Amino acid sequence: MAGTPLLSERVDGARLWARHMALAAFGARADGGVDRPTLSPQEAQARAQIIAWGRAIGLRSFTDKAANLFLRLEGRDAALAPVVAGSHIDSQPTGGKFDGVFGVLAALETAEAIVARGTQPLRSFEIAAWTNEEGSRFAPGMTGSDLFTGTRTLDNVLPIRDAHGITIGEAVDAILAADDDVPLRAFGLPIAAYVEPHIEQASVLELANVPVGVVTGIQGTRRYRITVTGEAAHAGTALRKDRRDALMAAVRMIQAMDEAAMEPADTLVTVGMLEVTPNAPSVVPAKVFFSVDLRHPDNSVVDRVDADIRRIVEEMKGPCEVELKQIQHSPSLTFAPAIRATIAEAAAARAIPAMDVYSAAGHDARQLHYVCPAGMIFVPCRGGISHNPEEWAEPAHLTAGAQVLADVVWTLANNP
């Protein structure tokens, strides 16, 4: 309607910031960070708070067998597929206040703006908080969006255990039992479009002094779990020629993987977890279990290094045995041009500087990309630091990102 103020005029930056600080209390660390594992009591508390905020403005809440959380603002035509925005509220053990949370709270702020203006979009609008995006308690991550989109099934997800032997199925049951009158809904709700706001987790926007990033795509990744099995022996009496040292074999493998990924220079290989058994100073290690995370924007590079990794574990195992399991493969992708254009136009309409950026990290938008037009909005984070208590986003940048999201959602939700 000509002359109608932008929905973003109703976005309240102070409320958005206050809610970030309020959610950070659930799983708060002494160093200012957040430790809020997926499907934990701390996440259940944060979830209840989000539901309460939604109910206060008339949003209906829903969940599913993955414990994904949805808050729905009804549109004029409930039969049309909704527009969805959100992210996640679980954190790494040494997490910050903004990773994932910004996407959920910016989406909630969009709903607040719609209700405050007293207008109703054509399509319904839903806020999503996806289960286990981080994958720190249950590996791999993206469990909720994988199940929702049909990439994985309950049969192969629910038995996965955390370090304490608790299954995803048991943890989901506990979360659902703690919910207060949140109806269960089937997976696979048709979606008209999905938009995920997020802190950048890199420093491109900060260095360019630009408050909003239009995310063009997400780089590809493969993730592995490798077990090397040797034989425990006395460190003082077992001769080198007789040893089946699992750690030395693992070290050879890791070094060779690092060398295989030197070119191109932006290929990333990370061994972030390594467990040694029996982990005693005077015992030759009998078993080593380690993770490998491989990433690059070019799928052909990821595939080449994948082949190298599989060759290396066999060539470097020596007298030990080795088992390699690939637990995830997500190819690089490019987000829908129409969604990217809508984000850029919304930023321009408010005179908010914006630029194209590429996501080096994975997000739930990757999974949604395959079932509907999807896109992401980035805002800067100080020093590019994330998964760290020092993670920080400026209130003004969060507000700008939420303003862009509000206008994007309004545009998409009024598209027949």
Side-chain angles (χ1 to χ4, degrees), residues 28 140 157 165 186 225 228 255 263 333 339 354 374 378 386:
V157 166
R225 297 294 185 264
V228 184
Q255 181 179 6
E263 294 294 338
L333 61 85
I339 303 296
F378 273 176
S386 185

Side-chain angles (χ1 to χ4, degrees), residues 283-340:
V283 180
V284 174
K287 181 179 289 188
V288 171
F289 176 78
F290 65 98
S291 64
V292 178
D293 184 311
L294 165 63
R295 306 190 193 210
H296 193 272
D298 185 336
N299 288 321
S300 66
V301 172
V302 175
D303 292 344
R304 175 185 61 77
V305 180
D306 168 70
D308 288 337
I309 287 172
R310 295 174 188 276
R311 171 184 54 79
I312 285 165
V313 297
E314 293 298 329
E315 291 181 354
M316 300 295 179
K317 67 182 181 181
C320 297
E321 297 174 359
V322 64
E323 179 185 46
L324 180 149
K325 290 184 179 179
Q326 179 178 286
I327 64 168
Q328 187 175 27
H329 177 206
S330 301
S332 294
L333 61 85
T334 300
F335 284 128
I339 303 296
R340 290 156 51 192

Side-chain angles (χ1 to χ4, degrees), residues 131-135 138-144 146 152 223 328 367:
T131 297
N132 191 36
E133 191 273 352
E134 293 290 359
F138 299 104
M142 315 290 176
T143 302
D146 268 338
R152 306 181 75 190
R223 293 175 181 170
Q328 187 175 27
Q367 276 67 13

Side-chain angles (χ1 to χ4, degrees), residues 129-376:
W130 304 105
T131 297
N132 191 36
E133 191 273 352
E134 293 290 359
S136 61
R137 180 182 180 190
F138 299 104
M142 315 290 176
T143 302
S145 53
D146 268 338
L147 288 170
F148 179 87
T149 59
T151 306
R152 306 181 75 190
T153 65
L154 287 168
D155 287 346
N156 60 39
V157 166
L158 295 184
I160 295 172
R161 296 182 182 273
D162 68 8
H164 302 288
I166 299 170
T167 66
I168 290 182
E170 292 167 340
V172 165
D173 287 345
I175 288 287
L176 298 185
D179 280 342
D180 178 18
D181 190 25
V182 180
L184 205 63
R185 198 166 68 177
F187 294 133
L189 174 80
I191 294 177
Y194 176 74
V195 184
E196 182 167 355
H198 208 281
I199 59 171
E200 185 188 5
Q201 300 178 292
S203 56
V204 174
L205 292 173
E206 183 184 45
L207 293 174
N209 195 29
V210 173
V212 167
V214 181
V215 183
T216 58
I218 300 178
Q219 74 174 343
T221 181
R222 288 183 188 254
R223 293 175 181 170
Y224 313 84
R225 297 294 185 264
I226 299 173
T227 303
V228 184
T229 303
E231 183 178 57
H234 193 294
T237 62
L239 299 178
R240 182 179 291 271
K241 67 180 181 63
D242 297 328
R243 292 188 179 198
R244 297 175 59 215
D245 189 324
L247 181 56
M248 290 301 182
V251 168
R252 291 193 298 269
M253 294 174 190
I254 293 167
Q255 181 179 6
M257 291 175 194
D258 186 48
E259 292 172 352
M262 288 295 183
E263 294 294 338
D266 55 346
T267 309
L268 301 175
V269 169
T270 303
V271 176
M273 176 176 64
L274 190 146
E275 299 172 358
V276 181
T277 304
N279 202 30
S282 296
V283 180
V284 174
K287 181 179 289 188
V288 171
F289 176 78
F290 65 98
S291 64
V292 178
D293 184 311
L294 165 63
R295 306 190 193 210
H296 193 272
D298 185 336
N299 288 321
S300 66
V301 172
V302 175
D303 292 344
R304 175 185 61 77
V305 180
D306 168 70
D308 288 337
I309 287 172
R310 295 174 188 276
R311 171 184 54 79
I312 285 165
V313 297
E314 293 298 329
E315 291 181 354
M316 300 295 179
K317 67 182 181 181
C320 297
E321 297 174 359
V322 64
E323 179 185 46
L324 180 149
K325 290 184 179 179
Q326 179 178 286
I327 64 168
Q328 187 175 27
H329 177 206
S330 301
S332 294
L333 61 85
T334 300
F335 284 128
I339 303 296
R340 290 156 51 192
T342 303
I343 295 169
E345 290 162 5
R350 285 202 62 90
I352 296 173
M355 63 182 286
D356 285 351
V357 292
Y358 195 74
S359 178
H363 302 281
D364 291 301
R366 179 197 291 282
Q367 276 67 13
L368 275 295
H369 163 82
Y370 294 108
V371 299
C372 69
M376 295 190 72

Side-chain angles (χ1 to χ4, degrees), residues 83-98:
V83 171
V84 179
S87 191
H88 62 96
I89 59 172
D90 62 317
S91 81
Q92 292 289 333
T94 56
K97 298 180 178 71
F98 307 97

